[in-house]
């Protein structure tokens, strides 16, 4: 950071400020990240430049007194004009690029921003679809499956609202769609983001003016159609008070959760016994039920000290109101084709005596020093604690019944700081900064009733990062961004009960990012490259062995290495058609693995499930096209794509000569289609019908062998003159096909499982808001990777 500050200071000393202004669109909304450059009148070369901020403002520092100002932004017409201090520059949509995309007011407009794909929400059909989660599910580049919101081919994104990182998942349920201006999907985030961040979603809300008291209320209830206990109540209240430069806000939320899984599983393992290959096969049923709930709360303040100087803080907390997991597993056990046992295992997991909690604190300063040096500083703390107890009663026809009890207690703490400086330099914008994250985790595990060792482990991880990026616009060629991030990580694992398992490692890696965005006639184009990493969740680093059943045990792996990925992506946008292709190669990819558990040199049919790094590179591609045409009141949002992968593994298998065989996971490509139809009617009525379909195919070393089909429908009514009251009725998994059956080949262990998930539900919700305004909070947070891994 010291080097970047010296560089910025040197540049500032050799220049003087001449022109300030603001860039807006035809509706008067600020245009963020537009390129403003001063060209020489003699030969049109770029003399210097700047990038507009979130509020559309810019300030040019130059010694050129007779230049021409150029303002450029993808999706808008480029403007050339004589510079005047204090000017307001209006950019018009580029009709050559967007012809047909703005034919009606209800179709969302999609354009490239230089970093990603931006979809306009305000004035489109997305404005009244419900919550922010509903908007994201219908945004190009995003799908909403059983695991929630995912950027196609990139997994779950890091979400920001007005530059502030979202740390409370319920916030996306609280934010209403009619409060959102636009959504930007970034598939290859730049150097300013943690190297583990593979995708980012930036939500910008509508800038509304207003002071005084305001609040919003959201309540819903979802009822399972398959299981009477499957009820998910949800309620949240948010409040704010604004006066002068002070913004006070807070809120409370309750979210009830339920789930049920019915499965038929067949697991076959092969191991050597007395020099011969033995086959042990378990065939049985699984009934897993979960009932729980959580309370969330937040409170904070934002204080505008002066023009371009903001200071604030925020506290978030959560606690679990209930946690009950009941599992019943019945199975027949066959050894070499002969039934040798019948098992029935009933397990109950619940909270311990200690109250679980999550607590997060953010303090920030955001402002401008001098004339153009932007400063963004964040200090973060996050802590979490949870204690669970488990009891399993196992009945057997061949051996004595057994009772297994276990106790788990873990605490985690994270301290993080991040500082970013930005300033116009030459023809573009320079950004540089540092980020430090310190994490401590304690994990205690005790078990009785089976010969499994207890564990008392501690994990320490320190991460030091420095980064810099530079972005600029070349006339007629496009926008170029390049960045470099360096991360040094010290990691230590210590087990007081098993000192031989202790590990200490150090990592140092560079992570470059490069992107270009421009246009070829009416087609907007973007090409990018980035290097990323993924570190294991802290729970996966625990060496403690968990007891699932007599024949299946599970543990983490303290030997896990971070994986490194290289990503290349191409995006093209023409009218209402968006095409995206991403290719990723991952080394040391982490995958769940199963193998015989050997005790005192002997295998007896028990398998141990644990994560491991694979030796072969894992390569995958995601290619898809998004279509968003509008026909009268009917808006279509269709995404269709394919996700091929290339993976070949060498596996241990005692059945083959040499004990090794090669398995390919390449020849079954999964295709995905997300289809949404929206019919907007008079009187505030809106009808929706959609669905997500995924064909059978490989996902890493798993084969998803059934067709996944989640059909959804909704009817919505907007009430009151200002549209502040919304009633909504929706249904999910209407055909009862939103589940995946799985085949898994681990060489010496094979699993075949069919699943029926409790996803067929009906949900009713009501939303109301009064005097809401855009939050002024500007804290962006630090240590996002460590927090998510905790």
């Amino acid at each position: 950071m010291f080097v970047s500050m010296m560089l910025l200071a040197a540049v500032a000393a050799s220049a003087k400020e001449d022109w300030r202004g603001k860039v807006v669109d035809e509706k008067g909304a600020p245009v963020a990240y537009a390129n403003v450059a001063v060209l020489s009148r003699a030969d049109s070369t770029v003399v210097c430049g700047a990038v507009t901020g979130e509020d559309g403002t810019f300030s040019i520092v130059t010694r050129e007194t007779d230049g021409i100002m150029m303002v450029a932004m993808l999706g808008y017409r480029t403007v050339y004009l004589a510079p005047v201090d204090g000017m307001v520059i209006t950019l018009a949509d580029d009709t050559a690029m967007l012809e047909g995309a703005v034919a009606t007011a209800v179709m969302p407009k999609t354009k490239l921003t230089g970093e990603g794909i931006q979809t306009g929400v305000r004035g489109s059909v997305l404005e009244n679809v419900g919550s922010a989660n509903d908007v994201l599910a219908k945004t190009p580049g995003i799908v909403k499956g059983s695991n929630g919101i995912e950027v196609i081919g990139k997994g779950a994104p890091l979400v920001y609202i007005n530059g502030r990182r979202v740390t409370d998942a319920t916030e996306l349920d609280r934010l209403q769609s009619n409060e959102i201006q636009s959504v930007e999907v970034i598939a290859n985030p730049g150097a300013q983001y943690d190297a583990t961040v593979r995708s980012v979603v930036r939500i910008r809300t509508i800038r509304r003016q207003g002071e005084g008291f305001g609040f919003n209320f959201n309540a819903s209830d979802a009822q399972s159609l398959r299981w009477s206990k499957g009820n998910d109540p949800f309620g949240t209240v948010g409040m704010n008070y604004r006066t002068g430069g002070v913004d006070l806000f807070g809120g409370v939320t309750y979210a009830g959760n339920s789930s049920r899984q019915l499965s038929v599983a067949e697991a076959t393992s092969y191991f050597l016994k007395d020099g011969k290959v033995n086959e042990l096969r378990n065939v049985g049923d699984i009934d897993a039920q979960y009932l729980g709930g959580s309370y969330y709360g937040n409170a904070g303040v934002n204080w505008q000290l002066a023009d371009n100087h903001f200071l604030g803080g925020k506290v978030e907390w959560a606690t679990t109101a209930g946690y009950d997991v009941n599992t019943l597993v019945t199975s027949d056990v066959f050894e070499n084709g002969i039934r040798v046992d019948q098992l029935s295992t009933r397990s109950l997991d619940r909270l311990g005596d200690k109250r679980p909690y999550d607590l997060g604190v953010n303090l920030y300063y955001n402002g401008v020093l001098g004339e153009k040096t932007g400063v963004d500083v964040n200090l973060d703390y996050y802590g979490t604690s949870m204690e669970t107890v488990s009891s399993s009663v196992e009945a057997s026809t061949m051996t004595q019944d057994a009772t297994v009890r276990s106790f788990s207690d873990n605490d985690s703490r994270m301290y993080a700081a991040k500082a970013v400086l930005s300033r116009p330099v030459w023809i573009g914008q320079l950004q540089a900064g540092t980020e430090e994250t310190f994490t401590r985790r304690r994990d205690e595990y005790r078990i009785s009733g089976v010969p499994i060792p207890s564990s008392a482990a501690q994990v320490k991880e320190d991460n030091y990062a420095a980064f810099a990026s530079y972005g600029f616009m070349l006339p007629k060629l496009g926008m170029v961004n390049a960045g470099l991030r360096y991360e040094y990580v010290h990691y230590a694992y210590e087990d007081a009960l098993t000192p031989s398992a202790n590990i200490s490692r150090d990592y140092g890696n560079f992570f470059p990012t490069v992107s270009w965005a421009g246009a070829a006639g009416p087609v907007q184009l973007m090409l990018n490259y980035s290097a990323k990493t993924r570190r294991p969740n802290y729970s996966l680093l625990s060496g403690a062995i968990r007891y699932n059943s007599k024949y299946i045990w599970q543990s983490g792996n303290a030997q896990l290495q971070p994986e490194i990925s290289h990503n290349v992506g191409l995006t093209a946008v023409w009218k209402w058609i968006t095409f995206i292709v991403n290719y990723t190669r991952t080394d040391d990819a982490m995958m769940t693995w199963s193998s015989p558990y050997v005790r005192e040199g002997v295998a007896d049919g028990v398998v141990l499930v644990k994560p491991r790094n694979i030796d072969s590179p894992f390569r995958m591609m995601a290619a898809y096209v998004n279509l968003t045409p509008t026909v009268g009141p009917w808006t279509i949002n269709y995404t269709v794509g394919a996700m091929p992968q290339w993976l070949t593994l060498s596996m241990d298998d005692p059945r083959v000569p040499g004990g090794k065989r090669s398995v390919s996971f390449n020849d079954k490509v999964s295709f995905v289609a997300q289809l949404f139809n929206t019919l907007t009617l008079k009187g505030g009525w809106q009808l929706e019908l959609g669905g997500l379909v995924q064909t059978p195919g490989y996902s890493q070393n798993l084969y998803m062998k059934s067709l996944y089909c989640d059909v959804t429908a909704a009817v919505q009514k907007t009430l009151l003159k200002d549209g502040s009251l919304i009633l909504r009725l929706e249904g999910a998994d209407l055909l009862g096909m939103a589940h995946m059956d799985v085949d898994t080949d681990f060489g010496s262990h094979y699993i075949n499982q069919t699943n029926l998930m409790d996803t067929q539900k009906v949900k009713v919700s009501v939303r109301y808001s009064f005097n809401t305004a855009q939050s002024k909070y500007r804290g962006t947070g630090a240590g996002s990777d460590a927090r998510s891994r905790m």
Side-chain angles (χ1 to χ4, degrees), residues 520-541:
V523 180
Q524 303 174 66
L525 297 171
M526 182 168 62
L527 181 66
N528 48 49
Y529 161 80
S530 65
K532 296 293 180 180
T533 187
R534 184 168 75 97
R535 302 183 181 95
N537 292 341
Y538 293 108
S539 60
L540 296 181
L541 296 171

Side-chain angles (χ1 to χ4, degrees), residues 462-478:
D462 300 331
N463 187 319
Y464 305 87
F467 57 88
S469 62
Y470 187 67
F472 58 94
M473 171 70 82
L474 293 176
K476 299 182 180 180
L477 294 179

Side-chain angles (χ1 to χ4, degrees), residues 459-574:
V459 174
K460 300 178 181 179
E461 186 175 286
D462 300 331
N463 187 319
Y464 305 87
F467 57 88
S469 62
Y470 187 67
F472 58 94
M473 171 70 82
L474 293 176
K476 299 182 180 180
L477 294 179
M479 180 186 295
V480 178
N481 284 279
L484 184 65
R485 184 182 181 98
Y486 176 77
E487 292 190 0
Y488 171 79
V489 179
H490 172 72
Y491 164 78
Y493 173 88
E494 298 177 358
D495 191 331
L497 302 182
T498 314
S500 60
N502 294 352
I503 297 174
S504 179
R505 291 200 185 104
D506 296 279
Y507 306 97
N509 299 96
F510 287 95
F511 300 97
T513 61
V514 180
S515 68
W516 167 85
V523 180
Q524 303 174 66
L525 297 171
M526 182 168 62
L527 181 66
N528 48 49
Y529 161 80
S530 65
K532 296 293 180 180
T533 187
R534 184 168 75 97
R535 302 183 181 95
N537 292 341
Y538 293 108
S539 60
L540 296 181
L541 296 171
S542 173
I545 298 177
R546 265 68 175 178
Y547 183 87
N548 288 347
S549 71
K550 183 177 181 179
Y551 294 101
I552 300 178
W553 299 356
Q554 187 172 352
S555 78
N557 182 1
Q559 302 280 350
L560 277 178
Q561 301 274 2
E563 60 183 36
I564 302 293
S565 298
H566 299 272
N567 314 281
V568 178
L570 172 66
T571 302
V573 177
W574 179 68

Side-chain angles (χ1 to χ4, degrees), residues 27-139:
K27 295 181 179 179
V31 177
Y33 311 113
N35 288 272
V36 184
V38 176
L39 311 180
S40 170
R41 286 185 180 271
D43 54 9
S44 296
T45 58
V46 177
V47 178
C48 61
V51 177
T52 59
E54 286 281 351
D55 59 356
T57 61
F58 67 90
S59 179
I60 293 291
V61 179
T62 181
R63 291 187 177 275
E64 179 69 43
T65 59
D66 189 32
I68 299 173
M69 181 172 290
M70 178 190 73
V71 183
M73 181 67 181
L74 288 174
Y76 296 94
R77 294 179 181 176
T78 300
V79 174
Y80 297 90
L81 72 167
V84 177
D85 190 36
M87 70 185 83
V88 176
I89 304 169
T90 301
L91 296 185
D93 287 335
D94 190 331
T95 55
M97 284 187 183
L98 304 174
E99 182 182 0
V102 290
T104 71
V106 299
M107 191 181 68
K109 181 178 65 179
T110 299
K111 63 185 178 183
L112 297 182
T113 64
E115 289 186 279
I117 305 173
Q118 185 184 85
T119 299
V121 176
R122 187 180 187 183
S124 78
V125 69
L126 297 180
E127 186 174 19
N128 295 305
V129 296
S131 68
N133 265 323
D134 298 314
V135 172
L136 295 182
K138 299 173 175 63
T139 298

Side-chain angles (χ1 to χ4, degrees), residues 370-385:
E371 296 294 341
K372 280 301 295 179
T373 302
V375 179
D376 187 10
V377 178
N378 281 264
L379 303 175
D380 277 73
Y381 166 81
Y382 180 67
T384 179
S385 177

Side-chain angles (χ1 to χ4, degrees), residues 5-21:
M5 292 178 67
M6 293 296 291
L7 175 60
L8 293 171
V11 172
S14 63
K16 64 186 183 70
E17 180 187 84
D18 286 321
W19 299 305
R20 298 180 183 179

Side-chain angles (χ1 to χ4, degrees), residues 160-180:
Y160 287 81
I161 298 177
N162 298 326
R164 173 182 55 81
R165 179 168 56 89
V166 174
T167 55
D168 178 1
T170 64
E171 185 169 0
L172 295 178
D173 289 315
R174 299 196 303 266
L175 179 63
Q176 297 185 26
S177 57
N178 59 9
E179 299 178 82
I180 299 175

